[in-house]
Amino acid sequence: ASITACTIPSLSEPWPHLHSETPSDTCSGPAEIYTMLPTPKKGYGLFATRRIARGTTVILEAPLVVIQPPPLTLGQGYEISKMLDSLRAEFAKLSPPNQKRYLALHAHVFPSEEGKERLMPILRSNAFNTGTGLGLFPIVARINHSCRPNAAYFWSERLGRRVVYAGRDIEEGEEISISYIPLLKTTKEREQRLAQYGFTCECEACEASRGGDSRSDDARAEMQVMLDQLESEVLVPPGEGLMAEKKEEGLIKNSLRLVDMVEEEVLVDYYAQVYKLAATTHGRSRRWEEGAGWALRSLEIREMADEHSAEAMEMRQMAPRFILESKKYMGEGLC
Ligand SMILES: C[S@@+](CC[C@H](N)C(=O)[O-])C[C@H]1O[C@@H](n2cnc3c(N)ncnc32)[C@H](O)[C@@H]1O
């Protein structure tokens, strides 16, 4: 059945977070490209009401609440009591309808928190970073997790908004998913990270691994090693001579392999980063044209998130610089 186009209803109306209950006001808003629907196992989720092409901005949302976490205590994380004080203060500043919106969100409650105030469990279950702070975005908060998500997100400091965009084409009726955690981890490691949200992911990557197929896990572990290595190697200026040239060839080969692996796993969150690495490794070997191609691919992704972001600007400078170099280089060859 096709999905009725509707928006998340007037968000001043809190939706009960009862997984079996359908919100009363499901389709009162203007036509939107997503709608919120109950799912059998994940609570509510957002679903595409029409085909969403790769690169489309799905949500652009300002935070309802932002708190600045206290400094991290090494090995202990944040001091919760300090966060709770600032959270209470920010919550008190909200209008009553916005307080209702906050309280209507899902909370994964730890046993020690049963029957207690829900402010912190709600924040912990739904917050995303906002540069230096932690923010609660009531619409983005309805997107469920997948270890192979179809959407990616980005905090735009310039816009003061979280941007969710389609990392690949999303079909009508398909659930929109993002990742809550770093994805270059094995299923076991991801399970540990997701435990704080109180669920076990059943996406196809997790299920394949639980079924004994270790290809995705092996690839993700390898990608993390390659990514770390490449990121540190490109910080060192290239050397001179045959040995150095060979080393640079190795970097190019590895960056291209990393691109292939990331694309094969469809890890949309990593595309811009690995395309930039491929641009950088080619640039180091003066393979300007190919480098410019990779820079443009990275730019395309960065522009999906925010065309004016620092990351987009960086690629917008790198691509023409490489093209200019390639022209100079060709000119030199002709003389
Ligand atoms: C940020 S909320 C997402 C929206 C939420 N489903 C709701 O109804 O509001 C995070 C919570 O959604 C549920 N969730 C998210 N992704 C899930 C998944 N892949 N499988 C099962 N539950 C999931 C978990 O209860 C988690 O604590």
Side-chain angles (χ1 to χ4, degrees):
S2 80
I3 292 207
T4 324
C6 60
T7 186
I8 288 196
S10 62
L11 281 161
S12 53
E13 291 290 310
W15 287 24
H17 190 82
L18 289 175
H19 292 194
S20 56
E21 219 172 289
T22 307
S24 53
D25 185 20
T26 327
C27 284
S28 62
E32 266 288 3
I33 59 176
Y34 57 82
T35 187
M36 183 164 103
L37 293 172
T39 68
K41 288 189 179 170
K42 308 182 212 167
Y44 289 111
L46 296 193
F47 290 78
T49 52
R50 62 164 170 78
R51 185 170 184 276
I52 303 176
R54 173 176 178 268
T56 307
T57 300
V58 182
I59 298 168
L60 195 65
E61 188 180 26
L64 185 66
V65 166
V66 177
I67 63 158
Q68 295 301 329
L72 272 171
T73 318
L74 204 65
Q76 289 173 26
Y78 295 119
E79 221 179 294
I80 293 288
S81 63
K82 287 203 183 130
M83 276 171 73
L84 191 54
D85 288 345
S86 43
L87 179 56
R88 282 191 185 127
E90 289 306 315
F91 182 78
K93 289 183 205 162
L94 294 177
S95 65
N98 279 341
Q99 289 191 344
K100 278 189 179 175
R101 283 173 77 191
Y102 185 110
L103 293 172
L105 290 171
H106 169 72
H108 172 57
V109 178
F110 293 140
S112 62
E113 297 167 328
E114 292 291 354
K116 295 195 185 146
E117 188 185 35
R118 281 164 51 90
L119 286 188
M120 187 50 82
I122 289 177
L123 185 80
R124 203 186 46 233
S125 308
N126 296 283
F128 291 95
N129 68 49
T130 56
T132 58
L134 272 180
L136 196 85
F137 304 81
I139 303 175
V140 177
R142 295 301 188 173
I143 307 180
N144 287 319
H145 164 91
S146 167
C147 299
R148 196 172 283 152
N150 52 26
Y153 55 84
F154 178 83
W155 165 250
S156 167
E157 194 66 45
R158 184 182 66 86
L159 300 172
R161 282 172 164 66
R162 183 151 283 273
V163 186
V164 178
Y165 61 94
R168 62 160 171 81
D169 292 344
I170 303 174
E171 298 308 321
E172 179 182 340
E174 193 181 340
E175 181 170 5
I176 297 164
S177 56
I178 54 175
S179 174
Y180 300 172
I181 55 166
L183 287 177
L184 299 187
K185 305 272 172 219
T186 62
T187 306
K188 272 250 154 334
E189 291 166 332
R190 300 198 302 274
E191 274 170 6
Q192 281 163 7
R193 298 288 287 259
L194 290 172
Q196 63 162 313
Y197 297 98
F199 70 91
T200 304
C201 182
E202 293 180 4
C203 73
E204 80 258 21
C206 289
E207 290 295 87
S209 152
R210 285 187 204 110
D213 180 347
S214 66
R215 279 175 300 178
S216 167
D217 275 2
D218 296 345
R220 288 174 194 235
E222 190 182 342
M223 282 186 261
Q224 183 69 72
V225 172
M226 288 172 78
L227 186 69
D228 290 345
Q229 263 176 11
L230 280 164
E231 289 284 16
S232 73
E233 277 165 335
V234 297
L235 293 176
V236 183
E240 304 264 326
L242 210 60
M243 287 285 280
E245 261 175 43
K246 280 252 167 298
K247 188 179 169 218
E248 294 303 318
E249 269 170 37
L251 293 188
I252 291 179
K253 211 170 121 212
N254 285 349
S255 67
L256 293 179
R257 175 155 161 72
L258 185 58
V259 165
D260 280 349
M261 290 174 84
V262 165
E263 285 182 342
E264 203 166 311
E265 270 298 293
V266 204
L267 296 179
V268 296
D269 300 73
Y270 292 86
Y271 284 0
Q273 189 181 1
V274 298
Y275 294 160
K276 178 185 159 190
L277 265 174
T280 309
T281 57
H282 282 85
R284 289 167 64 94
S285 287
R286 297 166 191 262
R287 286 169 59 172
W288 304 116
E289 250 183 82
E290 289 152 287
W294 288 110
L296 288 172
R297 287 184 70 176
S298 183
L299 173 63
E300 187 199 359
I301 310 282
R302 292 302 187 197
E303 284 185 336
M304 290 176 189
D306 175 5
E307 61 180 323
H308 300 291
S309 66
E311 290 85 351
M313 299 287 202
E314 187 190 5
M315 288 303 105
R316 212 172 285 121
Q317 284 166 2
M318 189 189 270
R321 187 163 60 79
F322 280 15
I323 291 168
L324 213 68
E325 289 292 346
S326 82
K327 293 214 165 115
K328 268 203 298 199
Y329 197 62
M330 276 167 68
E332 275 166 18
L334 288 174
C335 289

